Amino acid sequence: MPAKALNRRFFLLQAIMMLIDCITVAYISPILVSFGYSKLQIGQVMTLGALAATLARPLWGFLNDRFSCAKQVTLGGTAVGIACYFLLTWGGGQMGLTTIAVMGLYITVVCMMNFVDSWALRLINGGASLNYGATRAGGSLSYALGAVIFGMVVSRWGFRPGNVALWVLWILMCGCPVFTESSARQPS
């Protein structure tokens, strides 16, 4: 297996994951501000989201350790997270829906990078030649560029174009695991 092919594919997976994280999580506070939430309300919603992620991580870890399901959970969790973003941006700012959507984002999208880490370690332990540091750095670069670009989109058209961008990213992401796993299994 050519190391470059796997590194490029895993880079793409991490870049897409980080873009999804950027669009869905980095812009939660500005979305809540746009709904007219007070600083206290924003703090409460964000605290509940962080608490939900804190409680979900051990469960996600148990599932991954027990069933080695990083690929499936990453894809499924990201899809659910995108649906939560849709609920957040189209829920009309209702406190209950907003809180559920934010908690859902934290339980899914925020926690999914842990699954990508686990997936990378499983590939490396299986003999794959993966430069995880380089691929992770590339993912961080995509986050930074995504923040700038999405910030310009938000300034011009608001948060709703993120729904389309997220579904496109998720569809692209679905191809990454298939290609990443298949190239990791090829003999060197």
Side-chain angles (χ1 to χ4, degrees), residues 23 27 30-31 34-35 82 85-94 150 153-168:
I23 293 170
Y27 286 90
I31 290 171
S34 75
F35 292 153
I82 290 169
Y85 181 84
F86 183 81
L87 179 64
L88 176 66
T89 57
W90 288 87
Q94 298 174 12
F150 192 65
V153 168
V154 166
S155 294
R156 183 150 188 185
W157 294 291
F159 298 100
R160 290 192 177 158
N163 291 307
V164 174
L166 288 169
W167 286 111
V168 169

Side-chain angles (χ1 to χ4, degrees), residues 9-30:
R9 290 175 179 143
F10 212 78
F11 164 81
L12 183 60
L13 172 71
Q14 289 196 358
I16 291 171
M17 263 313 291
M18 294 289 222
L19 281 172
I20 290 171
D21 184 47
C22 173
I23 293 170
T24 59
V25 178
Y27 286 90
I28 291 176
S29 290

Side-chain angles (χ1 to χ4, degrees), residues 62-141:
F62 170 77
L63 289 173
N64 189 43
D65 290 346
R66 177 101 168 130
F67 301 107
S68 294
C69 56
K71 175 172 69 170
Q72 296 83 356
V73 172
T74 300
L75 291 172
T78 303
V80 170
I82 290 169
C84 289
Y85 181 84
F86 183 81
L87 179 64
L88 176 66
T89 57
W90 288 87
Q94 298 174 12
M95 182 61 102
L97 285 177
T98 298
T99 302
I100 289 169
V102 170
M103 289 173 71
L105 283 168
Y106 271 81
I107 289 170
T108 56
V109 174
V110 170
C111 294
M112 291 307 102
M113 203 61 210
N114 299 111
F115 277 87
V116 173
D117 292 339
S118 174
W119 189 354
L121 291 175
R122 193 174 73 234
L123 288 171
I124 292 167
N125 287 336
S129 178
L130 176 66
N131 184 338
Y132 183 73
T135 61
R136 184 70 186 254
S140 296
L141 178 62

Side-chain angles (χ1 to χ4, degrees), residues 153-184:
V153 168
V154 166
S155 294
R156 183 150 188 185
W157 294 291
F159 298 100
R160 290 192 177 158
N163 291 307
V164 174
L166 288 169
W167 286 111
V168 169
L169 288 171
W170 186 76
I171 290 167
L172 290 172
M173 190 176 138
C174 286
C176 292
V178 172
F179 295 123
T180 299
E181 292 288 327
S182 65
S183 59

